[in-house]
Structures are given as C-alpha cells and as structure tokens.
Amino acid sequence: MLKGKTVILGVSGGIAAYKAAALASALKQGGAEVYVLMTEHAKEFIGPATFEGLTGHRVISDTFRSEEFLIPHIRLAAMADLFLVAPATANIIAKLSAGIADDMLTSTFIAATCPKLVVPAMNVNMYENPATQDNLDRLRQRGIVVLEPAVGHLAEGSVARGKMPEPSVLYRMAEYMIGCNKDLAGKKILITAGPTREPLDPVRYLTNRSTGKMGYALAKAAAMRGAETVLVSGPVHDAGDGVDNALLTGGGGNASDSVLLPAGVKRVPVQTAAEMAEAVKKESRDADCVIMAAAVADFRPLRQEPEKIKKAKLKQETDPETGVRGYSLSLERTEDILAWLGAHRQPGQKLAGFSMETENLLENSRRKLVEKQVDLIAANSLKKAGAGFGTDTNIVTLIRQEGERELPLLSKEETAQEILNELFAETE
Ligand SMILES: Cc1cc2nc3c(=O)[nH]c(=O)nc-3n(C[C@H](O)[C@H](O)[C@H](O)COP(=O)(O)O)c2cc1C
C-alpha cells in the first residue's frame, strides 16, 4: 500500500525509540522507501545500525555529514511523501513547534511540505505540562496530525497516558494518510462484515466460518480513499492494537483469523442478523453506497431459550430417510437485508452484495443480482484454492447487468480496491 512512497521517520530520545525499529520495518515491508533521522539523544536508546539494516539507508543525524546526499535536509524534505516523528519527546515537540532547526531531524521537518504525523510519548506529567500541550496545539493548528498517546504501562512503572501507540497503529495511520488518492472523499460508504450469531440459549449459537477479512479490507480501502466509512461488524477476532502480526507481513494482514479495525473507520458492532438489519437500515439512510460483505445467517432458531437447554428437554425424532434417531431444531428465516436495501434504495445509492455458493455459482449470482435489485454481486467460490473464508486472498467474479469481470487470485485488499473501482467507475 505504500509502494513508491518515501517516508521519513524521525526518532527522538525516548524509551519508546525501540518500537520505532518495528515501525521502520513495517513501513519498508509495506513498500515504502524509509529514511531514518535520529537525534543524538535517540542513539542513547537504540543504535543506528538497527535502522540501517532494516531500511537499507544510512541514518542521518548531523546535517553536515551525509554519505548519500549533498544538502540532505533539503533533498530529503523534497522527496518525502510523509514525515513521521515517533517517538516524539517533549523536547523535540517544543523545537518543532518553535521552528528550531538545529539538527538533521528538525531542519528536515521545517523544510518538508508533505503531510506530517507527530507521535508524542513521555511521562504523563511531561505530557500534561501546559508547555507540551501548547506546543502540540500549535502543531495541530498548522495542519500537522498529532496522535494522542495511549494509556498504558509507562517506564516509571505507573499506568497513565503517555505510551506510544503500537507500531501497527502507526503503520495504519501512515497508510491512511498517504496510501491512496482520496477519490471517494465526500461519500459515505456502509460496509458489513463478519458472521452473525443466532442464539439458541444463553450459551449456544448458530454461526458460520466468516472471519470478516473481506469486509474489513473493503472498509480499509474505502477509508483510505477518503470515504466516510461505517462498518457494521458481526463478531470477529480483533487482533487489537497490541498485536503486530500485520507488521510481519508488511501490514497487509496475517495468516490468522484475526482482523484489525482500519484507521478512520466507524465500527458498529452487532451480534445477530436482526441487529445487523437494524444497524444497516439506520446507517444506509444517507449512504452513497452499501456493500454487504457480511455472511449473515439465513436461519435462526425459532425459539431462543432463556435458560441453557437440558439434553433431556430436546425432542428426539427418527429421521424418515435414514432411520437415525436424533434431536431436531426448528429454524426460521432471518430478514434478507440486501433485498430490503434493493427495495428501499435511496436515490443514486449504489448497492453491492457477495455471493458464496458451493454449486452453480454464476447462475445463482446472476439471479441474485436481478431479484435483489442491486448493482453488483461479487461471486466467490468456496471450491477454488485461495478463495473464500479465512484466507488472505480471494478469487471473485464481478457480476453486473452490463457484464461480468473475473478477477485473478488477488489479496482481499486488492479485491476490495477492484470492487470500489467497479462501483465508482463512472465517477473516477
Ligand atoms: C531513561 C530516560 C528515558 C527518557 N524517556 C523519555 C521519553 O519517553 N519521552 C521524553 O519526552 N523524554 C524522555 N527522556 C528525556 C529526553 O531523553 C531528553 O529530554 C532529551 O533531551 C531529548 O532529546 P531529543 O528530543 O533531542 O531526542 C528520557 C530520558 C532518560 C534518561
């Protein structure tokens, strides 16, 4: 997602400097060219060799000593697509706010005109000191993005605000800030993701194998392209901000079943198909586009028991075909949310859904397109290797009234971009 981008990572002298190494690595693996500028004090916390090994570029601290560039602060400032300062000490924040340029980091910062992200990390009293807060406000007023430190264990042993957010969060912020053209700015896109859970009793439920990866990839793509993005999400395994698996694979996701909430996305968590229907009806009223990527349960138990069902309470029956004695469960249909959207479409609203079948995929998907009155069905087969639930890749055929386009094996993030391209082709 950062291919072709140049990121300058400024590292100043705080405890969290060690985390900047993981960030530099993730940015590099995400495709960016990464240049690290360290303050002299930062070198008390981590050695330049670490960054040089990870990025393939010499660390520059002294404006007058660079092996790569003649006038390094001007040259690098001109090349940069993003300037990230992480961790930013109270001292460096004060200098940046005052416009001081007495080393390589600060001189390049003041010369750079690209988007800038400053990530404070320090003791809570240093952070809350009015001098630091005034300095941060001044940076914000100049359009510099300042990330709020997280609450967590600080070096002194207390739990307080001042901790640098995990590298995965910073990577996502970087992607969000410069990863894409903002061609969907001004549009609201509603996306659903994940499975639903249909309770039988307080401890048991019916569900499916959806992990939410496709829906989360769509939300990320929409947000990165500037859309106001709302994600109605069924229960998913959230990797959370403490897990950096995504970094190990270049920030592009991981091989596990977990997902990460993309930066800039509003998540509405739901459990059941009925809750999802209610949330979609509410959020779709002013949406320019709705993409139903959730695997909404088609059926739910007819009765939800208030207490855990005892084995003895279940009715035993003999199956007329096999003669096997077993327990039976009565199910009822859940609401077809996509069909509801088709029947209640707002003027100009674009609607898309997914289709996952084990047989007659294309015929069933074409019928779904017409019956549900939607613009696009993304049909994915469970039978192809690399497609379907839990994988990081997908093989999808995009079906519209005007024609069909079979996409090759792509990452779910690339598939998401293609779906948005298809839906918004005429406005691009
Ligand atoms: C062990 C230790 C840890 C420190 N951690 C931080 C920190 O997390 N944040 C901070 O703003 N300053 C921290 N400081 C203080 C800075 O290192 C100090 O203000 C220094 O002058 C910052 O220089 P720089 O901004 O040029 O890198 C720490 C100092 C020491 C000795």
Side-chain angles (χ1 to χ4, degrees):
M1 280 296 179
L2 296 177
K3 203 156 184 267
K5 304 286 182 187
T6 299
V7 177
I8 299 180
L9 175 58
V11 181
S12 56
I15 288 273
Y18 76 94
K19 288 190 188 171
L23 177 59
S25 170
L27 292 165
K28 173 85 177 157
Q29 288 180 58
E33 211 53 66
V34 185
Y35 292 90
V36 176
L37 311 181
M38 295 175 81
T39 64
E40 284 305 328
H41 285 139
K43 294 178 187 166
E44 300 284 337
F45 296 85
I46 182 168
T50 305
F51 292 110
E52 292 174 352
L54 290 169
T55 64
H57 292 292
R58 288 273 179 230
V59 166
I60 315 177
S61 297
D62 184 341
T63 325
F64 302 95
R65 312 262 175 282
S66 164
E67 291 169 26
E68 283 184 67
F69 306 106
L70 209 51
I71 308 178
H73 63 297
I74 301 298
R75 182 81 188 94
L76 270 180
M79 286 162 62
D81 294 296
L82 176 69
F83 200 130
L84 234 152
V85 186
T89 57
N91 178 59
I92 208 78
I93 289 164
K95 282 180 159 185
L96 298 178
S97 151
I100 291 173
D102 65 351
D103 63 7
M104 181 62 190
L105 196 166
T106 50
S107 301
T108 313
F109 193 88
I110 202 166
T113 53
C114 62
K116 293 171 182 162
L117 175 64
V118 169
V119 187
M122 64 198 71
N123 161 276
V124 63
N125 295 330
M126 290 173 83
Y127 179 66
E128 287 177 353
N129 188 298
T132 304
Q133 289 301 315
D134 283 353
N135 290 331
L136 289 172
D137 278 346
R138 272 208 277 174
L139 292 178
R140 287 191 193 97
Q141 281 158 21
R142 293 177 200 146
I144 294 164
V145 180
V146 175
L147 219 59
E148 174 94 329
V151 173
H153 276 281
L154 301 183
E156 318 76 72
S158 57
V159 174
R161 187 167 297 286
K163 196 173 129 82
M164 184 167 116
E166 292 306 316
S168 58
V169 176
L170 303 182
Y171 179 85
R172 279 180 280 157
M173 270 308 287
E175 271 194 333
Y176 180 61
M177 287 176 74
I178 59 161
C180 270
N181 293 335
K182 306 291 179 209
D183 62 321
L184 300 180
K187 300 197 186 302
K188 176 179 173 181
I189 301 188
L190 172 62
I191 293 158
T192 65
T196 62
R197 282 182 185 165
E198 309 303 326
L200 264 165
D201 64 22
V203 293
R204 304 182 181 100
Y205 52 77
L206 300 181
T207 190
N208 57 59
R209 289 160 56 89
S210 169
T211 56
K213 284 186 174 183
M214 193 61 237
Y216 275 66
L218 277 160
K220 178 176 178 175
M224 281 175 55
R225 287 168 67 163
E228 176 195 345
T229 308
V230 178
L231 179 65
V232 176
S233 173
V236 291
H237 291 289
D238 201 322
D241 291 336
V243 177
D244 285 348
N245 290 349
L247 298 180
L248 303 175
T249 54
N254 55 58
S256 76
D257 279 351
S258 48
V259 290
L260 282 165
L261 181 64
V265 172
K266 173 184 153 190
R267 176 160 57 183
V268 181
V270 297
Q271 292 277 325
T272 64
E275 285 171 14
M276 187 167 278
E278 192 186 331
V280 167
K281 286 176 187 176
K282 182 163 167 258
E283 291 288 350
S284 64
R285 277 184 220 133
D286 59 348
D288 298 286
C289 173
V290 186
I291 307 175
M292 289 288 301
V296 185
D298 292 321
F299 303 98
R300 69 168 154 248
L302 195 56
R303 278 172 57 83
Q304 185 190 333
E305 299 296 337
E307 305 296 338
K308 185 181 172 202
I309 302 167
K310 294 287 193 206
K311 281 177 251 153
K313 262 188 83 179
L314 279 178
K315 212 166 66 177
Q316 261 209 322
E317 285 172 0
T318 304
D319 185 274
E321 276 178 32
T322 61
V324 175
R325 275 179 73 72
Y327 298 105
S328 68
L329 186 65
S330 298
L331 302 173
E332 65 176 343
R333 277 300 315 265
T334 54
E335 182 171 4
D336 186 333
I337 306 174
L338 192 56
W340 185 93
L341 286 166
H344 297 83
R345 187 197 288 258
Q346 302 295 325
Q349 191 176 58
K350 295 173 192 292
L351 297 176
F354 274 75
S355 166
M356 185 173 273
E357 308 270 350
T358 51
E359 47 191 10
N360 303 327
L361 174 68
L362 293 181
E363 297 74 33
N364 288 338
S365 303
R366 286 176 199 128
R367 207 177 52 239
K368 206 167 171 179
L369 181 85
V370 176
E371 280 176 7
K372 303 195 183 200
Q373 307 173 63
V374 298
D375 302 295
L376 175 87
I377 292 288
N380 52 356
S381 168
L382 276 174
K383 296 220 165 130
K384 290 184 184 160
F389 289 136
T391 59
D392 285 329
T393 52
N394 220 350
I395 305 169
V396 159
T397 304
L398 302 180
I399 300 176
R400 308 181 58 135
Q401 288 285 17
E402 302 79 20
E404 295 173 12
R405 186 156 73 96
E406 186 176 353
L407 301 179
L409 177 72
L410 295 174
S411 71
K412 283 189 173 164
E413 298 203 356
E414 289 166 323
T415 306
Q417 294 288 1
E418 288 293 337
I419 290 170
L420 291 177
N421 289 347
E422 189 75 32
L423 280 166
F424 290 95
E426 64 270 30
T427 55
E428 281 186 327

PDB file of all heavy atoms in Angstrom, residues 45 61 65 109 205 266 273 279 328 338 347:
ATOM      1  N   PHE A  45      19.261   5.304  23.148  1.00  0.00           N
ATOM      2  CA  PHE A  45      18.214   4.299  23.376  1.00  0.00           C
ATOM      3  C   PHE A  45      18.263   3.145  22.364  1.00  0.00           C
ATOM      4  O   PHE A  45      17.876   2.037  22.672  1.00  0.00           O
ATOM      5  CB  PHE A  45      16.829   4.967  23.307  1.00  0.00           C
ATOM      6  CG  PHE A  45      16.616   5.983  24.396  1.00  0.00           C
ATOM      7  CD1 PHE A  45      17.050   7.293  24.245  1.00  0.00           C
ATOM      8  CD2 PHE A  45      16.007   5.625  25.583  1.00  0.00           C
ATOM      9  CE1 PHE A  45      16.868   8.226  25.258  1.00  0.00           C
ATOM     10  CE2 PHE A  45      15.825   6.546  26.603  1.00  0.00           C
ATOM     11  CZ  PHE A  45      16.265   7.854  26.443  1.00  0.00           C
ATOM     12  N   SER A  61      21.990  12.051  11.291  1.00  0.00           N
ATOM     13  CA  SER A  61      21.726  12.856  12.492  1.00  0.00           C
ATOM     14  C   SER A  61      22.329  14.252  12.338  1.00  0.00           C
ATOM     15  O   SER A  61      21.781  15.238  12.808  1.00  0.00           O
ATOM     16  CB  SER A  61      22.343  12.196  13.729  1.00  0.00           C
ATOM     17  OG  SER A  61      21.746  10.945  13.942  1.00  0.00           O
ATOM     18  N   ARG A  65      26.911  15.900   7.724  1.00  0.00           N
ATOM     19  CA  ARG A  65      27.626  14.638   7.450  1.00  0.00           C
ATOM     20  C   ARG A  65      26.641  13.617   6.889  1.00  0.00           C
ATOM     21  O   ARG A  65      25.996  12.895   7.635  1.00  0.00           O
ATOM     22  CB  ARG A  65      28.242  14.038   8.719  1.00  0.00           C
ATOM     23  CG  ARG A  65      29.030  14.966   9.597  1.00  0.00           C
ATOM     24  CD  ARG A  65      30.558  14.867   9.354  1.00  0.00           C
ATOM     25  NE  ARG A  65      31.256  15.869  10.148  1.00  0.00           N
ATOM     26  CZ  ARG A  65      31.335  17.175   9.817  1.00  0.00           C
ATOM     27  NH1 ARG A  65      30.766  17.619   8.717  1.00  0.00           N
ATOM     28  NH2 ARG A  65      31.968  18.031  10.596  1.00  0.00           N
ATOM     29  N   PHE A 109      12.390  18.636   9.039  1.00  0.00           N
ATOM     30  CA  PHE A 109      10.970  18.809   9.362  1.00  0.00           C
ATOM     31  C   PHE A 109      10.475  20.175   8.886  1.00  0.00           C
ATOM     32  O   PHE A 109       9.425  20.288   8.260  1.00  0.00           O
ATOM     33  CB  PHE A 109      10.765  18.665  10.872  1.00  0.00           C
ATOM     34  CG  PHE A 109       9.332  18.520  11.297  1.00  0.00           C
ATOM     35  CD1 PHE A 109       8.722  17.276  11.369  1.00  0.00           C
ATOM     36  CD2 PHE A 109       8.581  19.638  11.645  1.00  0.00           C
ATOM     37  CE1 PHE A 109       7.400  17.140  11.764  1.00  0.00           C
ATOM     38  CE2 PHE A 109       7.251  19.524  12.045  1.00  0.00           C
ATOM     39  CZ  PHE A 109       6.667  18.266  12.107  1.00  0.00           C
ATOM     40  N   TYR A 205     -24.947 -20.924  20.116  1.00  0.00           N
ATOM     41  CA  TYR A 205     -25.460 -20.147  18.987  1.00  0.00           C
ATOM     42  C   TYR A 205     -25.133 -20.839  17.673  1.00  0.00           C
ATOM     43  O   TYR A 205     -24.254 -21.701  17.622  1.00  0.00           O
ATOM     44  CB  TYR A 205     -24.900 -18.721  18.989  1.00  0.00           C
ATOM     45  CG  TYR A 205     -23.402 -18.621  19.088  1.00  0.00           C
ATOM     46  CD1 TYR A 205     -22.580 -18.870  17.987  1.00  0.00           C
ATOM     47  CD2 TYR A 205     -22.797 -18.268  20.296  1.00  0.00           C
ATOM     48  CE1 TYR A 205     -21.200 -18.782  18.094  1.00  0.00           C
ATOM     49  CE2 TYR A 205     -21.423 -18.180  20.410  1.00  0.00           C
ATOM     50  CZ  TYR A 205     -20.625 -18.436  19.302  1.00  0.00           C
ATOM     51  OH  TYR A 205     -19.265 -18.349  19.400  1.00  0.00           O
ATOM     52  N   LYS A 266     -15.603   4.003  11.313  1.00  0.00           N
ATOM     53  CA  LYS A 266     -16.503   3.900  12.474  1.00  0.00           C
ATOM     54  C   LYS A 266     -17.088   2.490  12.495  1.00  0.00           C
ATOM     55  O   LYS A 266     -17.684   2.065  11.507  1.00  0.00           O
ATOM     56  CB  LYS A 266     -17.622   4.940  12.350  1.00  0.00           C
ATOM     57  CG  LYS A 266     -18.709   4.812  13.401  1.00  0.00           C
ATOM     58  CD  LYS A 266     -19.822   5.827  13.152  1.00  0.00           C
ATOM     59  CE  LYS A 266     -21.152   5.337  13.695  1.00  0.00           C
ATOM     60  NZ  LYS A 266     -22.285   6.147  13.292  1.00  0.00           N
ATOM     61  N   ALA A 273     -28.384 -11.409  13.142  1.00  0.00           N
ATOM     62  CA  ALA A 273     -28.852 -10.899  11.842  1.00  0.00           C
ATOM     63  C   ALA A 273     -29.845  -9.764  12.053  1.00  0.00           C
ATOM     64  O   ALA A 273     -29.855  -8.780  11.305  1.00  0.00           O
ATOM     65  CB  ALA A 273     -29.493 -12.042  11.053  1.00  0.00           C
ATOM     66  N   ALA A 279     -29.098  -2.042  12.238  1.00  0.00           N
ATOM     67  CA  ALA A 279     -27.983  -1.093  12.077  1.00  0.00           C
ATOM     68  C   ALA A 279     -27.849  -0.658  10.617  1.00  0.00           C
ATOM     69  O   ALA A 279     -27.618   0.515  10.326  1.00  0.00           O
ATOM     70  CB  ALA A 279     -26.686  -1.732  12.559  1.00  0.00           C
ATOM     71  N   SER A 328     -34.104 -32.649  17.003  1.00  0.00           N
ATOM     72  CA  SER A 328     -34.449 -31.713  15.928  1.00  0.00           C
ATOM     73  C   SER A 328     -34.533 -30.298  16.475  1.00  0.00           C
ATOM     74  O   SER A 328     -34.829 -30.084  17.647  1.00  0.00           O
ATOM     75  CB  SER A 328     -35.769 -32.110  15.273  1.00  0.00           C
ATOM     76  OG  SER A 328     -36.813 -31.915  16.178  1.00  0.00           O
ATOM     77  N   LEU A 338     -30.049  -7.521   2.063  1.00  0.00           N
ATOM     78  CA  LEU A 338     -29.713  -6.990   0.737  1.00  0.00           C
ATOM     79  C   LEU A 338     -30.988  -6.737  -0.079  1.00  0.00           C
ATOM     80  O   LEU A 338     -31.112  -5.709  -0.748  1.00  0.00           O
ATOM     81  CB  LEU A 338     -28.779  -7.975   0.008  1.00  0.00           C
ATOM     82  CG  LEU A 338     -28.115  -7.455  -1.251  1.00  0.00           C
ATOM     83  CD1 LEU A 338     -27.320  -6.180  -0.993  1.00  0.00           C
ATOM     84  CD2 LEU A 338     -27.197  -8.526  -1.857  1.00  0.00           C
ATOM     85  N   PRO A 347     -32.227   7.491  -3.611  1.00  0.00           N
ATOM     86  CA  PRO A 347     -31.870   7.947  -4.965  1.00  0.00           C
ATOM     87  C   PRO A 347     -30.353   7.999  -5.154  1.00  0.00           C
ATOM     88  O   PRO A 347     -29.642   8.555  -4.316  1.00  0.00           O
ATOM     89  CB  PRO A 347     -32.473   9.362  -5.033  1.00  0.00           C
ATOM     90  CG  PRO A 347     -33.488   9.423  -3.940  1.00  0.00           C
ATOM     91  CD  PRO A 347     -33.098   8.443  -2.898  1.00  0.00           C
TER      92      PRO A 347
END
